Amino acid sequence: MTKTIRVGVIGVGHLGRYHAQKYAAMEHVTLVGVADIDRERGRAIAGETATTAFSDYRELVAQVDAVSIATPTTSHFEVGSYCLEHGVDVMMEKPITTTLDEANTLVKLAADKERILQVGLVERFNPAMRAAQKRLTLPLFIEAKRVGAFTGRATDVDVIIDLMIHDLDIILSLVKSPITSLSAAGAPVLTPYTDIANAHIIFANGCTANITASRVSQSVERRMRLFQPGECLTIDFHGKKCSTMQLPVGSTEESASPAITDLEVVLADALELELLEFTHCVRTRNNPAVTGAQGRDSLAVALAVIDAVQKNNRQLLRTLCTSGVNSPLLQQQVDLLCRNPLDSQNDSPPG
């Protein structure tokens, strides 16, 4: 007989609402309740999903086996620690925390309490990514581009934490080699934080990754190209498509043109797959695809990219200060560039 898992969702803003909807529709899962400091919103989402609203997440934690945490990142450590301490498995939306010290503490706490800690880097579950993984052998060069229009969401963090971290996580999971070199550049455009960035990473095994992220584009593109011996794989995360480029069998370099073939992609909802895996791991006590330790490693590289961008922006700071332009946003950008919030987080990239 399949065990029914009692779950809750803490934080039902944009992402948390989707978590609640997915859980409410699952077999062998009971959505016990949702918790949000905005009581009106909590009641609204509870009404949508036929469950109970809690204003204090601690009351919800006392009644469940597992939770999704989709609160602001600054509260991830506090809420996650409480849940793990009280024997509840945790699905933590990305990024795992704001600092590496906090992330390491959560990872250790989960291990000590023998709890599941999964991190919501949902692109691992994208059907196009899953189709590509079946053909991956030895990536030699990786290009990733993740750009979108400005929406006003997640503007209290860099685009590296908002978007690029998805590609960093995927690349780390594929290459599995220490980082030997990391450089990056970026700029604030519509917010005080970095809105567009590019990172160049070289791994000890020789693989190179070039990653671009922007939230100030006029179009949406979420694409990764993986070059390996004999072929190039193109993953379209947005369109959920995957293709391969190869020379036809038996052809010679002089006479043939590369053939592009679309791979079979089994369409599915990536968030639903992610949460189904989480509840399966809660039930079976297996490790998830994206563990707390992997979420920490992705955060470590993201913070290293942010640090590299800030160090590279010394000339940008001088330009801003002498531009003659005067606006509240510009002053915020100058203030952020004048200080380095990562002084206590300058750990080397994982590996």
Side-chain angles (χ1 to χ4, degrees):
M1 182 177 179
T2 303
K3 177 185 176 182
T4 297
I5 303 298
R6 301 171 302 159
V7 302
V9 179
I10 303 175
V12 284
H14 178 76
L15 285 174
R17 179 187 183 189
Y18 293 132
H19 282 239
Q21 291 171 346
K22 300 300 181 187
Y23 285 133
M26 285 184 191
E27 293 183 351
H28 309 299
V29 171
T30 299
L31 179 62
V32 174
V34 298
D36 201 287
I37 58 174
D38 184 335
R39 295 189 179 190
E40 184 175 338
R41 180 164 185 82
R43 286 194 293 267
I45 304 306
E48 287 181 4
T49 54
T51 190
T52 304
F54 294 79
S55 58
D56 186 339
Y57 72 86
R58 297 170 185 83
E59 296 178 7
L60 174 59
V61 169
Q63 302 180 36
V64 298
D65 305 303
V67 295
S68 277
I69 299 175
T71 59
T73 307
T74 51
S75 65
H76 281 190
F77 180 70
E78 175 194 334
V79 179
S81 297
Y82 183 89
C83 294
L84 293 171
E85 286 279 9
H86 287 77
V88 171
D89 296 315
V90 170
M91 163 66 202
M92 183 74 78
E93 264 300 344
K94 64 86 181 171
I96 182 172
T97 54
T98 58
T99 72
L100 291 185
D101 285 344
E102 290 178 347
N104 284 325
T105 300
L106 280 190
V107 171
K108 184 177 185 304
L109 183 57
D112 291 345
K113 296 293 183 177
E114 298 183 338
R115 295 296 93 194
I116 302 295
L117 175 57
Q118 181 172 331
V119 180
L121 289 154
V122 70
E123 291 287 38
R124 292 269 205 110
F125 296 86
N126 190 298
M129 183 68 234
R130 292 193 157 191
Q133 282 180 309
K134 298 175 182 178
R135 295 186 66 96
L136 284 172
T137 56
L138 181 64
L140 305 174
F141 193 93
I142 301 172
E143 286 181 342
K145 186 177 183 181
R146 186 172 295 264
V147 303
F150 187 78
T151 64
R153 285 188 57 252
T155 55
D156 57 341
V157 296
D158 286 87
V159 72
I160 296 116
I161 292 293
D162 182 20
L163 297 179
M164 187 184 285
I165 195 169
H166 285 291
D167 294 313
L168 295 173
D169 169 66
I170 288 172
I171 291 167
L172 290 177
S173 73
L174 298 179
V175 179
K176 295 182 175 65
S177 179
I179 292 173
T180 58
S181 173
L182 186 154
S183 59
V189 181
L190 299 180
T191 78
Y193 299 89
T194 301
D195 292 318
I196 183 169
N198 175 266
H200 188 77
I201 300 174
I202 300 176
F203 294 88
N205 69 355
C207 182
T208 298
N210 192 53
I211 311 153
T212 299
S214 170
R215 57 188 177 198
V216 288
S217 175
Q218 294 184 343
S219 60
V220 176
E221 184 176 355
R222 298 174 183 174
R223 194 180 301 270
M224 183 177 289
R225 300 178 73 197
L226 298 114
F227 301 84
Q228 60 187 15
E231 71 177 329
C232 168
L233 288 165
T234 298
I235 305 169
D236 180 353
F237 294 98
H238 183 63
K240 296 182 179 178
K241 299 176 182 178
C242 185
S243 63
T244 178
M245 182 176 70
Q246 296 175 297
L247 286 176
V249 176
S251 64
T252 63
E253 295 179 6
E254 295 80 9
S255 63
S257 297
I260 298 175
T261 305
D262 291 330
L263 300 182
E264 181 182 2
V265 176
V266 180
L267 295 180
D269 184 295
L271 178 60
E272 183 178 356
L273 292 177
E274 181 181 60
L275 298 183
L276 282 170
E277 172 167 284
F278 176 58
T279 55
H280 174 75
C281 291
V282 171
R283 191 176 288 114
T284 63
R285 313 315 296 168
N286 292 328
N287 287 327
V290 188
T291 64
Q294 291 172 317
R296 174 201 59 203
D297 291 348
S298 299
L299 175 65
V301 180
L303 292 175
V305 171
I306 293 173
D307 194 27
V309 168
Q310 290 179 341
K311 288 178 180 177
N312 198 49
N313 277 351
R314 289 171 183 157
Q315 179 59 47
L316 177 61
L317 175 60
R318 287 192 288 270
T319 301
L320 289 174
C321 290
T322 60
S323 65
V325 177
N326 186 19
S327 73
L329 176 59
L330 180 60
Q331 187 57 54
Q332 286 180 289
Q333 293 170 337
V334 171
D335 290 343
L336 278 172
L337 288 170
C338 283
R339 67 176 188 268
N340 183 0
L342 303 177
D343 284 342
S344 62
Q345 303 172 19
N346 284 333
D347 299 60
S348 299

